[in-house]
Amino acid sequence: MDTLLADLEALLGAEHILTGAEATGWAFSSWTRLGAPRAILRPATTQEVSGILRLAHAAGAAVVPWGGRTGLVDGAFAEGALALSLDRMTAVEEIDPLGATMTVQAGCVLEAACAAATAEDLFLPVDLGARGSATIGGVVSTNAGGNRVLRYGMTRDSVLGLEAVLADGTVISSLNHLIKNNAGYDLKQLFIGSEGTLGVVTRAVFRLRPRPVSQETAWLAVDRFEALSPLLRSLESSLAGSLSAFEVMWPAFYDLVTTPPAAGRPILPAGHAYYVLVEALGPDLIRDAARFEQVLTDALESGLVADAAIAKSQAERDRMWALRDDVAQTARNGPIITFDVSLPIAAMEAYVAEVRGALAARWPQAGMTVFGHLGDGNLHLIIGVVEPDTRSEIEEMVYGPLRARAGSISAEHGIGLQKRPYLAYSRNPAELALMRTLKTALDPRGILNPGKVIPLDDRQSLT
Amino acid sequence: MDTLLADLEALLGAEHILTGAEATGWAFSSWTRLGAPRAILRPATTQEVSGILRLAHAAGAAVVPWGGRTGLVDGAFAEGALALSLDRMTAVEEIDPLGATMTVQAGCVLEAACAAATAEDLFLPVDLGARGSATIGGVVSTNAGGNRVLRYGMTRDSVLGLEAVLADGTVISSLNHLIKNNAGYDLKQLFIGSEGTLGVVTRAVFRLRPRPVSQETAWLAVDRFEALSPLLRSLESSLAGSLSAFEVMWPAFYDLVTTPPAAGRPILPAGHAYYVLVEALGPDLIRDAARFEQVLTDALESGLVADAAIAKSQAERDRMWALRDDVAQTARNGPIITFDVSLPIAAMEAYVAEVRGALAARWPQAGMTVFGHLGDGNLHLIIGVVEPDTRSEIEEMVYGPLRARAGSISAEHGIGLQKRPYLAYSRNPAELALMRTLKTALDPRGILNPGKVIPLDDRQSLT
């Protein structure tokens, strides 16, 4: 064992460092690509995280933070690096019901944090498909989006304070609990969404919200793309402040999730151009139901909506969400690549047509299913791979047409390693240079999640 | 004229540089403390701002950005520096009604930007007393708060994209229009709330909201501090998503604004411990009025509220807001100092009592009026000055007791020069060191608004 690992063992205790086959075994048991780490480190405290980084910094050793390891862009790929797992730091440390805040350690699973808030009759609004595995540290460091961004914003909007450890081991304790605090630079923003490249998040303070009482859910059919945006604006206005989801599905997606072997069955007849899952969260069961029904009746009468079904029970609500969440069906006909882009709603129809056209011209048999959080400008494109070694060709088809439309190659999944070659499609040279300035200032030796998000130089590339 | 000024004149044209008596005349006509600038520069384009900074950077000359120059912490103090006024860059460049975004130049006055959004039936929710003078650049670079933070967040929460110019003249064009964009670091966060010390904001893209239809306003009397927080939580929950103001006034404030020479008259009898202005913005005139009345009736019946009056007309709503906004009355008995702090609601009563006690022990005749955006944890304390040269003694009385309560010396006004000596009361040494790291990385020669927010070294102090 080399000196660095010996020092780390002295710091953590031998039982909290995995090396060799033990480390690769753990890494390879994940369904995401993690590589073979030099060692897996499992600190129990912020002080231990600080000690690890101090040693790694002195040695110039790469450190890759690990949360739930279910990210989609290889952000936790740790081949040859020290994997710093926060899985022993899982406590919900404090909930202040009066102030409506909670303090959580980075390794706490999102679902557990949400449950702890709910137990105090409060609401942590961050919610995504990976809720049972994603950790607070991962959710914060990737600025996770998810299902309720329309109403509550991205993860960034729920974070009041953070504790993070810099590359050299300095602990930045910025555990603000206040909604308003303009006392100097808002340092937490550096660590939110920077994917562990500027610091390791160890604790977060969240702003909690009143727990919603009512959940109104409906499934709509819409026949023209041009109706979607007016419908969204109209619902935002008439359901003021309570509209929490506006999820649009293109017909290929609806077909997949409502036909065997999928468990789901159609809610409205097939054949419409778009299907929309709409949800509002409110304070009053009876009044909210009446308002929701009235608003959807108006939408039907206005012609924006062709058909609609309102869920009348929790079972019906669950059934609607289950269709939307059954994304796994998109993989049933063979290998796929999942994309996560955002662009102005006005540009979406032409964008989807352009990608579909390019794909069909190259591989007439390739399938493409489209769905997304349209209220946030966020589309997921799932493209079937019909020929090996064509990933970059497909990526170019999807990312290329975003350039002229001021779109983003990553709405919510982040950049990691996978999207790094395309970052310049969404960000200009001055922005990339400023990102490098920040990276160099905060991590001069380039040890933190090296090669992720922005390539600094060849030495730091792990791919 | 020295070389730098000659170069600047060649860049901007002689008519757009003020020097000597012309410059000091303009500076001294402001009611805030601006000092005597070396010159006032009035660029018309981002390229001219870039050119100014390139020249100033080469010469190591201090540059102080000027917006509306109505900040409260001497953030625009420019003694001996180049004052960079954005007052010729006032255009509302674009409003996208479908995407609900607007792009505005930094010198545009906030009120004009709000009016432009309203003309498109949309809503820019940033609102504060200085709306008629504050500019977009100032509002963004100070992360302004104001009256509707409770519902819509601080200015930061409405900014989607920014264009800013770095100290060396590099233009960072990050004019994102997307709600979701995780493509690399969120660079705009660097320039929001850093008070012009890391870059000069030249353009901003805002997220607009649906324009509210109903405005429900009420004036409440509350007899116990312990009732305020449960009342707030209950209204947040029952008015889900539509509660936009929860403004609490201590009785001394209510007395001042309802007795001559103030124009206002009491809405509820005097003698209550606290008065609260509550507002909700909603989508439906009739339903919202019914809900608001029901919610307040419930609050009365629960005993949280001792008395209540609901505004029945726009005139009554205006009358309630006029009382809350008549802050000028706090100066009618002599010189005052205005404070802007935030702290957990649970700590407020003891905090106010401690400040009041210390003040009374030192100057029994000194007046103190307290009011604030309690829903945001934000209190304004107005303290009468009875003896000259006691400012720092009074500041210590107000800021000192925040340290043990994890409070902030600046909820919304910023740090500027005035609060700089107390920044360490709200931020720890590691945070201050990281702020300095950022400042050094982005502005290595220290030319941007030098001495503001964080002192770097003695050379950069302007006081």
Side-chain angles (χ1 to χ4, degrees):
Chain A
M1 186 178 277
D2 61 29
T3 315
L4 174 60
L5 289 189
D7 289 346
L8 289 167
E9 188 174 304
L11 176 74
L12 299 175
E15 68 274 36
H16 301 309
I17 302 193
L18 313 185
T19 54
E22 211 179 7
T24 45
W26 197 17
F28 290 171
S29 71
S30 172
W31 60 267
T32 51
R33 195 168 72 105
L34 298 174
R38 180 177 175 188
I40 299 175
L41 314 174
R42 304 180 62 219
T45 65
T46 300
Q47 282 318 307
E48 287 185 355
V49 174
S50 168
I52 290 169
L53 286 168
R54 210 163 41 239
L55 290 169
H57 189 255
V63 176
V64 177
W66 275 8
R69 306 179 306 287
T70 45
L72 296 170
V73 292
D74 293 339
F77 184 71
E79 177 74 32
L82 300 170
L84 197 171
S85 172
L86 282 302
D87 69 286
R88 292 176 63 215
M89 294 176 61
T90 60
V92 173
E93 297 190 318
E94 186 213 15
I95 298 184
D96 172 4
L98 209 61
T101 62
M102 78 187 294
T103 308
V104 190
Q105 289 183 343
C108 180
V109 168
L110 175 60
E111 199 166 50
C114 293
T118 303
E120 296 287 341
D121 203 25
L122 286 161
F123 186 57
L124 176 60
V126 179
D127 184 51
L128 51 148
R131 63 185 74 80
S133 54
T135 61
I136 292 303
V139 162
V140 168
S141 65
T142 60
N143 185 31
N147 292 331
R148 287 178 180 138
V149 171
L150 188 59
R151 171 157 175 190
Y152 298 101
M154 302 286 276
T155 298
R156 188 184 300 277
D157 301 298
S158 288
V159 177
L160 293 174
L162 278 189
E163 179 187 75
V165 185
L166 299 184
D168 66 1
T170 302
V171 178
I172 301 292
S173 179
S174 214
L175 291 168
N176 172 62
H177 282 62
L178 305 167
I179 293 178
K180 268 175 157 173
N181 188 351
N182 274 345
Y185 302 167
D186 191 2
L187 299 172
K188 67 175 179 281
Q189 307 295 349
L190 288 169
F191 308 107
I192 303 173
S194 55
E195 304 183 35
T197 61
L198 298 179
V200 178
V201 172
T202 46
R203 277 188 174 83
V205 182
F206 288 101
R207 177 182 184 178
L208 302 178
R209 308 295 179 136
R211 192 175 161 195
V213 172
S214 72
Q215 181 190 12
E216 297 295 331
T217 315
W219 196 270
L220 314 181
V222 172
D223 282 340
R224 297 169 297 124
F225 187 86
E226 307 79 53
L228 288 171
S229 192
L231 174 62
L232 168 64
R233 298 295 163 228
S234 155
L235 295 177
E236 276 191 311
S237 180
S238 53
L239 295 169
S242 71
L243 182 68
S244 55
F246 189 87
E247 304 283 308
V248 175
M249 289 147 279
W250 269 244
F253 182 91
Y254 186 62
D255 291 346
L256 275 176
V257 299
T258 54
T259 52
R265 291 297 166 264
I267 290 173
L268 296 176
H272 291 284
Y274 304 94
Y275 296 88
V276 187
L277 192 165
V278 169
E279 185 188 75
L281 301 174
D284 187 307
L285 286 173
I286 293 164
R287 281 168 197 259
D288 294 342
R291 179 167 76 161
F292 195 71
E293 194 168 329
Q294 182 61 53
V295 162
L296 291 184
T297 304
D298 293 347
L300 273 164
E301 285 173 2
S302 74
L304 291 174
V305 171
D307 202 353
I310 297 179
K312 291 295 179 198
S313 66
Q314 191 59 45
E316 287 186 24
R317 278 190 283 278
D318 292 344
R319 190 176 149 223
M320 290 181 181
W321 273 107
L323 289 189
R324 164 62 186 78
D325 283 345
D326 194 10
V327 177
Q329 296 304 323
T330 60
R332 78 185 188 207
N333 297 321
I336 52 163
I337 306 179
T338 300
F339 293 96
D340 159 51
V341 303
S342 59
L343 68 167
I345 298 176
M348 279 182 183
E349 191 180 24
Y351 168 74
V352 170
E354 183 174 342
V355 176
R356 196 184 298 283
L359 191 69
R362 180 73 174 80
W363 298 289
Q365 75 278 38
M368 174 165 110
T369 48
V370 183
F371 62 100
H373 318 289
L374 194 101
D376 316 318
N378 184 182
L379 287 187
H380 296 305
L381 278 66
I382 316 279
I383 294 182
V385 181
V386 294
E387 195 177 329
D389 300 323
T390 54
R391 184 179 186 103
S392 28
E393 204 180 339
I394 297 172
E395 286 174 339
E396 189 61 45
M397 283 178 191
V398 173
Y399 295 139
L402 291 172
R403 303 180 80 160
R405 295 180 170 93
S408 173
I409 62 161
S410 180
E412 58 183 12
H413 292 172
I415 298 298
L417 280 184
Q418 273 187 21
K419 299 193 179 185
R420 202 185 51 174
Y422 303 96
L423 187 55
Y425 286 21
S426 293
R427 307 299 293 265
N428 57 51
E431 291 180 293
L432 296 176
L434 183 52
M435 290 184 207
R436 286 196 187 93
T437 298
L438 286 177
K439 174 69 175 172
T440 305
L442 269 75
D443 181 16
R445 302 199 65 176
I447 67 163
L448 278 179
N449 215 359
K452 310 295 165 55
V453 186
I454 36 168
L456 292 181
D457 57 46
D458 294 339
R459 185 175 44 81
Q460 291 187 323
S461 173
L462 283 173
T463 44
Chain B
M1 186 178 276
D2 62 27
T3 316
L4 175 60
L5 290 189
D7 289 346
L8 289 167
E9 188 174 305
L11 177 72
L12 300 175
E15 68 273 37
H16 301 309
I17 302 193
L18 313 185
T19 54
E22 213 181 5
T24 46
W26 197 19
F28 290 172
S29 71
S30 172
W31 61 268
T32 52
R33 195 168 72 106
L34 299 174
R38 180 178 174 187
I40 300 175
L41 313 175
R42 304 179 62 219
T45 65
T46 300
Q47 280 319 307
E48 287 185 355
V49 174
S50 169
I52 290 169
L53 287 167
R54 208 163 44 239
L55 290 169
H57 190 254
V63 176
V64 178
W66 275 9
R69 305 180 306 287
T70 45
L72 297 170
V73 292
D74 295 338
F77 184 70
E79 177 74 32
L82 300 171
L84 197 171
S85 172
L86 283 300
D87 69 287
R88 291 177 63 217
M89 294 176 61
T90 60
V92 174
E93 297 189 318
E94 186 212 16
I95 297 183
D96 171 4
L98 208 63
T101 62
M102 77 189 291
T103 309
V104 190
Q105 290 184 342
C108 181
V109 168
L110 175 60
E111 200 167 50
C114 293
T118 302
E120 296 287 340
D121 204 29
L122 287 161
F123 186 56
L124 175 61
V126 179
D127 184 52
L128 51 148
R131 63 186 74 80
S133 54
T135 61
I136 291 303
V139 162
V140 168
S141 64
T142 60
N143 186 30
N147 292 329
R148 287 175 181 140
V149 172
L150 187 58
R151 171 157 175 190
Y152 298 101
M154 303 287 275
T155 298
R156 188 184 301 277
D157 300 298
S158 288
V159 177
L160 293 175
L162 278 188
E163 179 188 75
V165 185
L166 299 184
D168 67 1
T170 303
V171 178
I172 301 292
S173 180
S174 215
L175 292 169
N176 170 62
H177 281 61
L178 304 166
I179 292 177
K180 269 175 155 173
N181 188 350
N182 274 345
Y185 302 168
D186 191 4
L187 299 173
K188 67 175 179 280
Q189 307 294 349
L190 287 169
F191 307 107
I192 302 173
S194 56
E195 305 184 35
T197 62
L198 298 179
V200 177
V201 172
T202 46
R203 277 188 175 83
V205 182
F206 288 102
R207 176 181 185 179
L208 302 178
R209 308 296 179 134
R211 192 175 161 195
V213 172
S214 73
Q215 179 190 14
E216 297 294 331
T217 315
W219 195 270
L220 314 181
V222 172
D223 281 341
R224 297 168 298 122
F225 187 87
E226 308 78 56
L228 287 171
S229 193
L231 174 62
L232 169 63
R233 297 295 164 230
S234 154
L235 295 178
E236 276 191 313
S237 179
S238 54
L239 294 169
S242 71
L243 182 67
S244 55
F246 189 88
E247 304 283 309
V248 175
M249 289 147 278
W250 270 243
F253 182 92
Y254 187 63
D255 291 346
L256 275 176
V257 299
T258 55
T259 54
R265 292 296 166 265
I267 290 172
L268 296 175
H272 291 286
Y274 302 94
Y275 297 88
V276 188
L277 191 166
V278 169
E279 186 188 74
L281 301 174
D284 187 306
L285 287 173
I286 293 164
R287 281 168 199 257
D288 294 341
R291 178 167 78 160
F292 195 70
E293 193 167 329
Q294 183 60 52
V295 162
L296 291 184
T297 304
D298 293 348
L300 273 164
E301 284 173 2
S302 74
L304 290 174
V305 171
D307 202 351
I310 296 180
K312 290 296 177 197
S313 65
Q314 191 58 45
E316 287 185 24
R317 279 191 283 278
D318 292 345
R319 190 175 149 222
M320 289 180 181
W321 273 108
L323 288 189
R324 164 63 185 78
D325 283 346
D326 194 11
V327 177
Q329 295 304 323
T330 60
R332 78 186 189 207
N333 298 320
I336 53 164
I337 305 179
T338 300
F339 293 97
D340 158 52
V341 304
S342 60
L343 68 167
I345 298 176
M348 278 183 185
E349 189 180 24
Y351 168 75
V352 171
E354 183 174 342
V355 175
R356 198 185 295 283
L359 190 69
R362 180 74 173 80
W363 297 289
Q365 73 277 38
M368 176 165 107
T369 48
V370 184
F371 63 99
H373 318 288
L374 194 102
D376 316 318
N378 183 184
L379 287 186
H380 296 305
L381 279 66
I382 317 278
I383 294 182
V385 181
V386 295
E387 195 178 329
D389 301 322
T390 54
R391 183 179 186 105
S392 28
E393 205 180 337
I394 297 172
E395 286 174 341
E396 189 60 45
M397 284 179 191
V398 173
Y399 296 138
L402 292 172
R403 304 180 79 159
R405 296 180 169 92
S408 172
I409 61 162
S410 180
E412 56 183 13
H413 293 173
I415 298 299
L417 281 182
Q418 272 187 24
K419 298 192 179 184
R420 202 184 52 177
Y422 303 97
L423 186 56
Y425 286 22
S426 292
R427 308 299 293 264
N428 58 49
E431 290 180 294
L432 296 177
L434 182 51
M435 290 185 208
R436 286 196 188 91
T437 299
L438 287 176
K439 174 69 175 172
T440 306
L442 270 75
D443 180 17
R445 303 198 65 174
I447 66 161
L448 278 179
N449 216 0
K452 310 296 164 56
V453 187
I454 36 167
L456 292 181
D457 58 44
D458 294 340
R459 185 173 46 79
Q460 292 188 322
S461 171
L462 283 174
T463 46

